[in-house]
Amino acid sequence: MNKHLPHRATALIYGVASLFVIAVLAAAAAMIWQTRQKAITDSESQAARFVGGSEAALNRGLLSVDMLLAGLGQLAQMSDAASVAADLARPEAVQLMDGVVRQNLLVRYMAFLSPDGRVITSSDRRGAKLAVQLPDGFLQQVLAQPVSTLAVSTPSISLSSSQKVLYFARVLRLVDGSKAVALAEVQLSLLITILTQGADIRGMEVTLERDGGEMLASKPPRDDLSGRTIAPALREQASDGHPMRMAARLSGEPAIVVARPTLHRNLLIVASIPLRFALQGWRRDSAFILSAALVFTLMILAVSGFTHLQLRRQWRSRAELLRSKATLDQALESMMDGFVLLDPHDRVLTWNRRFADLFPWARVLIEPLLPFDRIALRMIAQHSAERPAPGEPGGAGLQLQGPIEGEQEVVFPDGQVILSIRSRTPDGGSVCVYRDVTEKKRQTADIVEGKAQLQATLDALPDVLLEVGLDGLCRRFHLPRNEVPGIDVQDPVGKKVPELLPGDAAVEVMAALHDAYVSGFSKGRQFERRAAGGTTWFEISVSRKSIGQGPDTRFIVILRNITDNKLAAREIEHLAFYDGLTGLPNRRLLLHRLQAAIDSNHRRSRRGALLFLDLDHFKTLNDASGHAIGDLLLKQVAARLQAGLREGDTVARLGGDEFVVLLENLGDEPDSATMQAATMADALLAELDRPYQLTAARQFHGTCSIGVVVFRGQQHSLEDLLKQADIATYYAKTAGGNTVRFFEAAMQATITARATLESELRTALAADQFVLHYQSQVTSEGRIVGAEVLIRWQHPVRGLVPPAGFIDLAEDTGLVVPIGLWVLETACAQLERWSHQPARRDLQLAVNVSARQFREDDFVLQVSEVLERTGADPTRLKLELTESLLQDKVAETIGKMKALAEIGIHFSMDDFGTGYSSLSYMTQLPLDQIKVDKFFVHSIGIHPKVELIIQTIIGMARNLELEIVAEGIETPEQLAFLKKHGCLLYQGYLFGKPVPLQAFESHLDLETVD
C-alpha cells in the first residue's frame, strides 16, 4: 500500500478549497471592477464641472477685454490718420484709458498701433514711447480681418515685464478709411489663474488651446509646448464637453480629457486627468479588497491543509502497517533459499516463491494451515518411480516423512542437491529453510579438479618455482622433472637462497627479490652454471605476492633455463654480422669496426686504410660455370684474404664479388701509412693472382682490382670512406684490372661530374632538349640525295653540345636506347613531312644505330612501331651500323637486319675498315651501302698505303654490288681522288657542315633554284 494519501482524496480536499478560493477571488474582482468604474466616472464628472466653470470665468474675462477694446475704439472713431495721435493724446483720453485699465485686472496696459506697428499712444506711463514686440504675423492677421473681431496672439515675452503674455487686439476703422489697432496686453499667469480658480483636482492638466491643437497656456506650465500643436489636435466642433479617453495634453499619459470652446472663436479650454491620478483612490480600495480576499483565501487553504494533514497521518499509519508486512514478504521473496514457517502443530503459516521454485509440484498443493506432512508425502510420491536403491546417494532423503530439526541433504535423481535446515521458533513452531547447493557442490568439484590441473600444469613446466621470503628463506617449491634443474637440493624448504645456488647466482636472485620488493616484479636478471656437460643459462623472474607486508612479504621466484635461447641469439647475431657464405664480417660489422677504428685513430692521432677489392671477370665465370663454382671461388678468395692479413685487421664481404680490408694502426705519418697500405695491397694482389683449384678437374686463374683510401680521425663519414675506396676501385678496373689505385680528390670530381651529366641527360630526354642536324650526302654531279642525321644536345647552360660530349656516357648508362629511339622517330617524322613535297619526297635519311640499341630484343618491333606511328616510307630510311655488331651474336644480328630489310629499310656499314669484323660475313649481311671512314679519307695524298686500302674497299664494294659513300671529305684533292677511283657519293665539310633542319631545307631550296 502506498504510504501517501490517494490522489483522489487529495484532489477532493483541494478541489473544494479551490472552489471557495475561486468564489472569494471572483467577488473581489467584481468589487474591484465596480470601484474602478466609479472612480473613473467621478473623475469624468469632476473634469466636466471644472471645464464648465473655467469656461464661464474665461468667457467673462475675454468678454471684458473685448468690450474694453471696443469701447476704447470710440475714442478714435472721429479721427483720421493724421489726427488720431493728437486725439488720443488728449488728457481726457489718456485719463480714460488709464481708468479702464485699472478697473480690469487682466489687462496690464492698452495701446493704439498704426498699421506699421508704431505705438500711437498707450495707457502706460511711457505713452507713445512704449516698446511693443508682437508675435510675427499677428498685426497683419488683425489688419486682414474683414470684420472687426477680437484676435488673440500666441504667447510671447513682453519687452516691458519680461513675462509671458497674450495680446488681444481689434482693428479700428478711422474716418478717412484708414486702420488702427487697439491692443491689450494680458499676463499669461493671470489668465491661467482665472482658468484654474477654485479647482483642486489632483494631477489635473489644464490647457488653453486654439482650434487645431496650438497651445496658448497651460497648468502646470509647459514652456516647451507653448505655441506648439499638441497631437492629437482638438477641434471646436468635437469639443462638446463630454469626457474622452486619450493621452493627456501635457504628459501624454492615458487620461480622461474634457474640452469646451469659449465664446471667442477658435479658443478651447481642455482639462486632462491622467488615469493614474484618477485611479489613485481606487488602488487603495483595491489593495484593501485584495488583502481581505487574501486573508479569506489563506484561511480556506489553512483549513484544507489541516484536513489533508490529518487524513495523511491516518493513511500513513495504515501504510506503515502494510509496508511492514510487505517488507517481510519481500524479504522472504528475495531469499535465495526456500522458506516455510510452521506453527507448533507443523501446519504451514507462510512460504516464499523460492520454495515453490524448488518444488514446482507444491504450487497447487500448498496453502495456509496445510499439515506439512502432506507435502513431505507428496515429495516421496513425486520421486517414487526414480527412488534410488537403499544405500545409494539420496535414498535416505527421499524417505523423509517430515522436516527434521537440524541439517539434511536431499539428492534428487536429476542430480539436484537440496540442503534442508530446520530450527524451532519461541512459540514452538518451526522455520524450514531449503537451499539449492547443487552449484556449490559443482564449484567444489571444479576447485578440486582445478587444483589437480594446476598441479599437472606445474609438473609440465620446465621452470624451477620457489616461494621465498624477503630474507631468502624458501617456504614452498616446485622442481621440473625432465629438465636440468637450477638447484641441486631435492628439498629446498627451510633453506636460504645462498644454500641452494652458487655465489654469483644467489647474489642475482637476492638482488631480484629486492627489486620486486620495490616495484612489485623483477625480470631480466640472469646467471650461468658451469658443469662438465657445458654451461647452462637461467633467467630470473620474481613477482611479489599481494598478501603480506614488510618482513612477511612473500615472492614467487621462477628460474627458467634459457640456454637454447642464448645459443639461438648467438646464431642470430652471427647471421646479422657475418656473411653466410664466407663467414667473413658483413657490411654492418665492417661499419661498426670502421667507426671504432676512426675513433681510435682520432684519440691516438694514427692512420688507417680501406682496401676495396673487386674480382675481375667474376660475372663471366658465374654465368659460364654456374653459381656453385662462383661460390667456391668466393670462399677461396675469403680464405686467402684472411691468411694474408695482420693481427687486428679486418676483411669483410660486402656482397657479390666485393671485399673490403680494414687496416689499422698504420702510424701517424701519411707517407708511411700510404706505403704500408700499398705493400699490403700488392701482397693481396699477388696472393689472389695465384691459380684457384675450383674442382678436381678445373683450375681457374683470376685477378682483382683494388682501390685504396688512407684515412685518419673523424674527417669523413663511414659511407664517404667506402665510396672513395669504391671510386678508386673503379679507376683500377678502368685501367684494365689486376692493379691498385689510391683515391685522389680528382677521382671524386670526375665521378661527380659523370653523375651530374647522367642526371642532366635524363632531364634532357624528358624535357626534349635534343635536336637533329643534317649533313648532306651529295652525288658526283653535285646533287643532294639525302643526309645523315646527327644528334646535338641543346643544353640550357652550356649551349649546343656535340655527341662526343655525352654519347659515351649514354652508352654506359643505357640512355643511348631511348635517345636512339627519339632520333629514329624524329627522322621518320621528317621523312613523312617531305613525302608531301615533290622536290623532297625522294630524299633519304641515314640514322646511326648504336650496338646497344640494336641488341635490344624488341628492336625490330620498335622500328616497326615508329614507322607505323609516323607513316614514313621505310625505303627512304637507312640505318647505319658499326662493325662492332659483328663481334658476337652474329646470327642474331643478321636475323634482325633481314627482318627490317623485308619491310624496305636499307642498311649502311659505318666506319668500314676500322673495326674487327670478318669479311666472311659481308656476303651474309643484307647491306646496301658501305661508308669509308674519314680516317682513310684524311690520309689521301699523305699515305699511299692508305690510298691503296681505299681503292681496295671501293673495288670490293663494287664487286659486291654495294653503294660506296666516303665521309669526312674536306678538300677538292680528296674529292678528285675518290671520283677517279669510282666513289660516286660523298659527305663532308666540303659540301656542308651538319646544320639544323631549317638551314638544310634552305640549302635544298637553293639547289632547286639552281
Side-chain angles (χ1 to χ4, degrees), residues 772-777 784-789 826-847 870-873 876-877 995-1005:
L772 289 184
H773 281 203
Y774 298 76
Q775 188 172 28
S776 303
Q777 292 182 343
I784 300 175
V785 295
E788 179 182 2
V789 293
T826 305
C828 289
Q830 186 59 46
L831 284 174
E832 196 280 332
R833 285 191 290 270
W834 282 343
S835 67
H836 303 291
Q837 302 175 21
R840 300 172 185 173
R841 64 177 56 171
D842 296 328
L843 292 177
Q844 284 188 334
L845 285 181
V847 178
T870 60
D873 183 0
R876 301 289 97 199
L877 177 64
V995 293
L997 176 63
Q998 185 176 1
F1000 178 71
E1001 290 184 335
S1002 298
H1003 193 188
L1004 290 176
D1005 293 338

Coordinates of all heavy atoms in Angstrom, one line a residue, residues 772-777 784-789 826-847 870-873 876-877 995-1005:
L772 N 68.2 17.7 -84.0 CA 68.9 16.9 -85.1 C 69.5 18.0 -86.0 O 68.8 19.0 -86.4 CB 67.9 16.0 -85.8 CG 67.4 14.8 -85.1 CD1 66.5 13.9 -86.0 CD2 68.6 14.0 -84.5
H773 N 70.7 17.7 -86.4 CA 71.4 18.4 -87.5 C 71.5 17.5 -88.7 O 71.6 16.2 -88.5 CB 72.7 18.9 -87.1 CG 72.6 20.1 -86.2 ND1 73.7 21.0 -86.0 CD2 71.6 20.6 -85.4 CE1 73.3 22.0 -85.2 NE2 72.1 21.8 -84.9
Y774 N 71.5 18.1 -89.9 CA 71.5 17.3 -91.1 C 72.8 17.6 -91.9 O 73.1 18.8 -92.2 CB 70.3 17.6 -91.9 CG 69.0 17.3 -91.3 CD1 68.5 18.1 -90.2 CD2 68.3 16.1 -91.6 CE1 67.3 17.7 -89.6 CE2 67.1 15.8 -91.0 CZ 66.6 16.6 -90.0 OH 65.4 16.3 -89.3
Q775 N 73.5 16.5 -92.3 CA 74.7 16.7 -93.2 C 74.4 16.1 -94.5 O 74.1 14.9 -94.6 CB 76.0 16.1 -92.6 CG 77.2 16.5 -93.3 CD 78.5 16.1 -92.6 OE1 78.5 15.1 -91.9 NE2 79.6 16.8 -92.9
S776 N 74.6 16.9 -95.6 CA 74.2 16.4 -96.9 C 75.0 15.3 -97.4 O 76.2 15.2 -97.1 CB 74.3 17.6 -97.9 OG 73.5 18.7 -97.5
Q777 N 74.4 14.4 -98.2 CA 75.1 13.4 -98.9 C 74.9 13.7 -100.4 O 73.8 13.8 -100.9 CB 74.6 12.0 -98.6 CG 74.9 11.6 -97.2 CD 74.4 10.2 -96.9 OE1 73.5 9.6 -97.5 NE2 75.0 9.6 -95.8
I784 N 72.1 16.7 -104.1 CA 71.8 16.2 -102.8 C 70.8 15.1 -102.9 O 69.7 15.4 -103.3 CB 71.4 17.3 -101.8 CG1 72.5 18.4 -101.7 CG2 71.0 16.7 -100.4 CD1 72.0 19.6 -100.9
V785 N 71.2 13.9 -102.5 CA 70.2 12.8 -102.5 C 69.7 12.4 -101.1 O 68.9 11.5 -101.0 CB 70.9 11.6 -103.2 CG1 71.1 11.9 -104.7 CG2 72.1 11.1 -102.5
G786 N 70.3 13.0 -100.1 CA 69.9 12.6 -98.8 C 70.8 13.3 -97.7 O 71.6 14.2 -98.1
A787 N 70.7 12.8 -96.5 CA 71.5 13.4 -95.4 C 71.6 12.4 -94.3 O 70.8 11.4 -94.2 CB 70.9 14.7 -94.9
E788 N 72.7 12.6 -93.5 CA 72.9 11.8 -92.3 C 72.4 12.7 -91.1 O 72.8 13.9 -91.0 CB 74.3 11.4 -92.1 CG 74.5 10.6 -90.8 CD 76.0 10.3 -90.6 OE1 76.8 10.6 -91.4 OE2 76.3 9.6 -89.6
V789 N 71.5 12.2 -90.3 CA 71.0 13.0 -89.1 C 72.0 12.7 -88.0 O 72.4 11.6 -87.7 CB 69.6 12.6 -88.7 CG1 68.6 13.0 -89.8 CG2 69.5 11.1 -88.4
T826 N 62.1 11.0 -84.8 CA 62.2 12.3 -85.3 C 62.5 12.3 -86.8 O 61.9 13.0 -87.6 CB 63.2 13.2 -84.5 OG1 62.9 13.1 -83.1 CG2 63.2 14.6 -85.0
A827 N 63.5 11.5 -87.2 CA 63.9 11.3 -88.6 C 62.7 10.8 -89.4 O 62.5 11.3 -90.5 CB 65.1 10.5 -88.7
C828 N 62.0 9.8 -88.9 CA 60.9 9.2 -89.7 C 59.8 10.3 -89.8 O 59.1 10.4 -90.9 CB 60.4 8.0 -89.0 SG 61.5 6.6 -89.1
A829 N 59.5 11.1 -88.8 CA 58.5 12.1 -88.9 C 58.9 13.1 -90.0 O 58.0 13.6 -90.7 CB 58.3 12.8 -87.5
Q830 N 60.2 13.4 -90.1 CA 60.6 14.4 -91.1 C 60.5 13.8 -92.5 O 60.1 14.5 -93.5 CB 62.1 14.8 -90.9 CG 62.6 15.9 -91.8 CD 61.7 17.1 -91.7 OE1 61.4 17.6 -90.6 NE2 61.3 17.7 -92.8
L831 N 60.8 12.5 -92.7 CA 60.6 11.8 -93.9 C 59.1 11.9 -94.4 O 58.8 12.1 -95.5 CB 61.1 10.4 -93.9 CG 62.6 10.1 -93.9 CD1 62.9 8.7 -93.6 CD2 63.2 10.6 -95.2
E832 N 58.2 11.7 -93.4 CA 56.8 11.7 -93.7 C 56.4 13.1 -94.2 O 55.6 13.2 -95.1 CB 56.0 11.3 -92.5 CG 54.5 10.9 -92.8 CD 53.6 12.1 -92.9 OE1 54.0 13.1 -92.3 OE2 52.7 12.0 -93.7
R833 N 56.9 14.2 -93.5 CA 56.6 15.5 -94.0 C 57.1 15.8 -95.4 O 56.5 16.5 -96.2 CB 57.1 16.5 -93.0 CG 56.3 16.6 -91.7 CD 56.8 17.8 -90.8 NE 58.1 17.6 -90.3 CZ 58.4 17.0 -89.1 NH1 57.4 16.6 -88.4 NH2 59.6 16.9 -88.7
W834 N 58.4 15.3 -95.7 CA 58.9 15.5 -97.0 C 58.2 14.8 -98.1 O 58.2 15.1 -99.3 CB 60.4 15.1 -97.0 CG 61.3 16.1 -96.4 CD1 61.0 17.4 -96.1 CD2 62.7 15.9 -95.9 NE1 62.1 18.0 -95.5 CE2 63.1 17.1 -95.4 CE3 63.5 14.8 -95.9 CZ2 64.4 17.3 -94.9 CZ3 64.8 14.9 -95.4 CH2 65.3 16.2 -94.9
S835 N 57.5 13.7 -97.7 CA 56.8 12.9 -98.7 C 55.7 13.6 -99.4 O 55.2 13.2 -100.5 CB 56.3 11.6 -98.1 OG 55.2 11.9 -97.1
H836 N 55.2 14.7 -98.8 CA 54.2 15.5 -99.4 C 54.7 16.7 -100.2 O 54.0 17.5 -100.7 CB 53.3 16.1 -98.3 CG 52.7 15.1 -97.4 ND1 51.7 14.2 -97.8 CD2 52.9 14.7 -96.1 CE1 51.4 13.4 -96.9 NE2 52.1 13.7 -95.8
Q837 N 56.1 16.8 -100.3 CA 56.7 17.8 -101.1 C 57.4 17.2 -102.3 O 58.4 16.4 -102.1 CB 57.7 18.6 -100.2 CG 57.1 19.2 -99.0 CD 58.1 19.8 -98.1 OE1 59.2 20.2 -98.5 NE2 57.8 20.0 -96.8
P838 N 57.0 17.5 -103.5 CA 57.6 16.8 -104.7 C 59.1 16.9 -104.8 O 59.7 16.0 -105.3 CB 56.8 17.5 -105.9 CG 55.5 18.0 -105.3 CD 55.9 18.3 -103.9
A839 N 59.6 18.1 -104.5 CA 61.1 18.3 -104.6 C 61.9 17.5 -103.6 O 63.1 17.4 -103.8 CB 61.4 19.8 -104.5
R840 N 61.2 17.0 -102.5 CA 62.0 16.3 -101.5 C 61.5 14.9 -101.1 O 62.1 14.3 -100.2 CB 61.9 17.2 -100.2 CG 62.4 18.6 -100.4 CD 62.1 19.5 -99.2 NE 62.5 20.9 -99.4 CZ 62.3 21.9 -98.7 NH1 61.6 21.7 -97.5 NH2 62.7 23.1 -99.0
R841 N 60.5 14.4 -101.8 CA 60.0 13.1 -101.5 C 61.0 12.0 -101.7 O 60.8 10.9 -101.2 CB 58.7 12.9 -102.3 CG 58.9 12.8 -103.8 CD 57.6 12.4 -104.5 NE 56.6 13.4 -104.2 CZ 55.4 13.5 -104.8 NH1 55.2 12.7 -105.8 NH2 54.5 14.4 -104.5
D842 N 62.0 12.2 -102.6 CA 63.0 11.1 -102.9 C 64.2 11.2 -102.0 O 65.1 10.3 -102.1 CB 63.4 11.2 -104.3 CG 62.3 11.0 -105.3 OD1 61.4 10.2 -104.9 OD2 62.3 11.6 -106.4
L843 N 64.3 12.1 -101.0 CA 65.4 12.2 -100.1 C 65.5 11.0 -99.2 O 64.4 10.5 -98.7 CB 65.4 13.5 -99.3 CG 65.6 14.8 -100.1 CD1 65.4 16.0 -99.2 CD2 66.9 14.8 -100.8
Q844 N 66.7 10.6 -98.9 CA 66.9 9.5 -97.9 C 67.6 10.1 -96.6 O 68.3 11.1 -96.7 CB 67.8 8.4 -98.4 CG 67.1 7.5 -99.4 CD 68.0 6.3 -99.8 OE1 69.2 6.4 -99.7 NE2 67.4 5.2 -100.2
L845 N 67.3 9.5 -95.5 CA 67.9 9.9 -94.2 C 68.6 8.7 -93.6 O 68.0 7.6 -93.5 CB 66.9 10.5 -93.2 CG 66.3 11.9 -93.5 CD1 65.4 12.3 -92.4 CD2 67.5 12.9 -93.6
A846 N 69.9 8.9 -93.3 CA 70.7 7.9 -92.6 C 70.7 8.2 -91.1 O 71.0 9.3 -90.7 CB 72.1 7.9 -93.2
V847 N 70.3 7.1 -90.3 CA 70.3 7.2 -88.9 C 71.2 6.3 -88.3 O 71.2 5.1 -88.6 CB 68.8 6.9 -88.4 CG1 68.8 7.0 -86.8 CG2 67.8 7.9 -89.0
T870 N 54.6 7.2 -87.4 CA 54.9 8.4 -88.2 C 54.4 8.3 -89.6 O 54.2 9.4 -90.3 CB 56.4 8.6 -88.2 OG1 57.0 7.4 -88.8 CG2 57.0 8.8 -86.8
G871 N 54.1 7.1 -90.2 CA 53.7 7.0 -91.6 C 54.8 7.1 -92.6 O 54.5 7.4 -93.8
A872 N 56.1 7.0 -92.1 CA 57.2 7.3 -93.1 C 57.4 6.1 -94.0 O 57.0 4.9 -93.7 CB 58.5 7.5 -92.2
D873 N 57.9 6.4 -95.2 CA 58.2 5.3 -96.2 C 59.5 4.6 -95.8 O 60.6 5.3 -95.7 CB 58.4 6.0 -97.6 CG 58.6 4.9 -98.7 OD1 58.7 3.7 -98.3 OD2 58.8 5.4 -99.8
R876 N 62.9 5.0 -97.7 CA 63.6 6.3 -97.6 C 64.5 6.3 -96.3 O 65.2 7.3 -96.1 CB 62.7 7.5 -97.5 CG 61.7 7.6 -98.6 CD 62.4 8.1 -99.9 NE 62.7 7.0 -100.8 CZ 63.6 7.1 -101.8 NH1 64.3 8.2 -102.0 NH2 63.8 6.0 -102.5
L877 N 64.4 5.3 -95.5 CA 65.2 5.2 -94.2 C 66.4 4.3 -94.4 O 66.3 3.2 -94.9 CB 64.3 4.7 -93.1 CG 64.9 4.6 -91.7 CD1 65.4 5.9 -91.2 CD2 64.0 3.9 -90.7
V995 N 73.9 20.9 -90.2 CA 73.2 22.2 -89.9 C 71.7 21.8 -89.4 O 71.3 20.7 -89.7 CB 73.1 23.1 -91.1 CG1 74.5 23.6 -91.5 CG2 72.4 22.3 -92.3
P996 N 71.1 22.7 -88.7 CA 69.7 22.5 -88.3 C 68.8 22.3 -89.6 O 69.2 22.6 -90.7 CB 69.3 23.7 -87.5 CG 70.6 24.3 -87.1 CD 71.6 24.0 -88.2
L997 N 67.6 21.8 -89.3 CA 66.7 21.5 -90.4 C 66.4 22.7 -91.2 O 66.3 22.5 -92.5 CB 65.4 20.9 -89.7 CG 64.3 20.6 -90.8 CD1 64.7 19.5 -91.7 CD2 63.0 20.2 -90.0
Q998 N 66.1 23.8 -90.7 CA 65.8 25.0 -91.5 C 66.9 25.4 -92.4 O 66.6 25.7 -93.6 CB 65.4 26.1 -90.5 CG 64.9 27.4 -91.2 CD 64.5 28.5 -90.2 OE1 64.7 28.3 -89.1 NE2 64.1 29.6 -90.8
A999 N 68.1 25.3 -91.9 CA 69.3 25.7 -92.8 C 69.4 24.6 -93.9 O 69.7 24.9 -95.1 CB 70.6 25.8 -92.0
F1000 N 69.2 23.3 -93.6 CA 69.3 22.3 -94.6 C 68.3 22.4 -95.7 O 68.6 22.3 -96.9 CB 69.2 20.9 -93.9 CG 69.3 19.7 -94.8 CD1 70.5 19.4 -95.5 CD2 68.1 19.0 -95.1 CE1 70.5 18.3 -96.3 CE2 68.2 17.9 -96.0 CZ 69.4 17.6 -96.6
E1001 N 67.0 22.7 -95.3 CA 66.0 22.9 -96.2 C 66.2 24.1 -97.1 O 65.9 24.2 -98.3 CB 64.6 23.0 -95.5 CG 64.2 21.7 -94.9 CD 62.8 21.8 -94.3 OE1 62.4 22.9 -93.9 OE2 62.1 20.7 -94.2
S1002 N 66.8 25.2 -96.5 CA 67.2 26.4 -97.3 C 68.2 26.0 -98.4 O 68.1 26.5 -99.5 CB 67.7 27.5 -96.4 OG 66.8 27.9 -95.5
H1003 N 69.2 25.2 -98.0 CA 70.2 24.7 -99.0 C 69.5 23.9 -100.1 O 69.9 24.1 -101.3 CB 71.2 23.8 -98.2 CG 72.4 23.6 -99.1 ND1 73.4 22.7 -98.7 CD2 72.8 24.0 -100.3 CE1 74.3 22.6 -99.6 NE2 74.0 23.4 -100.6
L1004 N 68.5 23.1 -99.7 CA 67.8 22.3 -100.7 C 67.0 23.3 -101.7 O 67.0 23.0 -102.9 CB 66.8 21.4 -100.1 CG 67.4 20.2 -99.3 CD1 66.3 19.4 -98.6 CD2 68.1 19.3 -100.2
D1005 N 66.5 24.3 -101.1 CA 65.7 25.3 -101.9 C 66.7 26.0 -102.9 O 66.3 26.2 -104.1 CB 65.0 26.3 -101.0 CG 63.9 25.7 -100.2 OD1 63.4 24.6 -100.6 OD2 63.6 26.3 -99.2

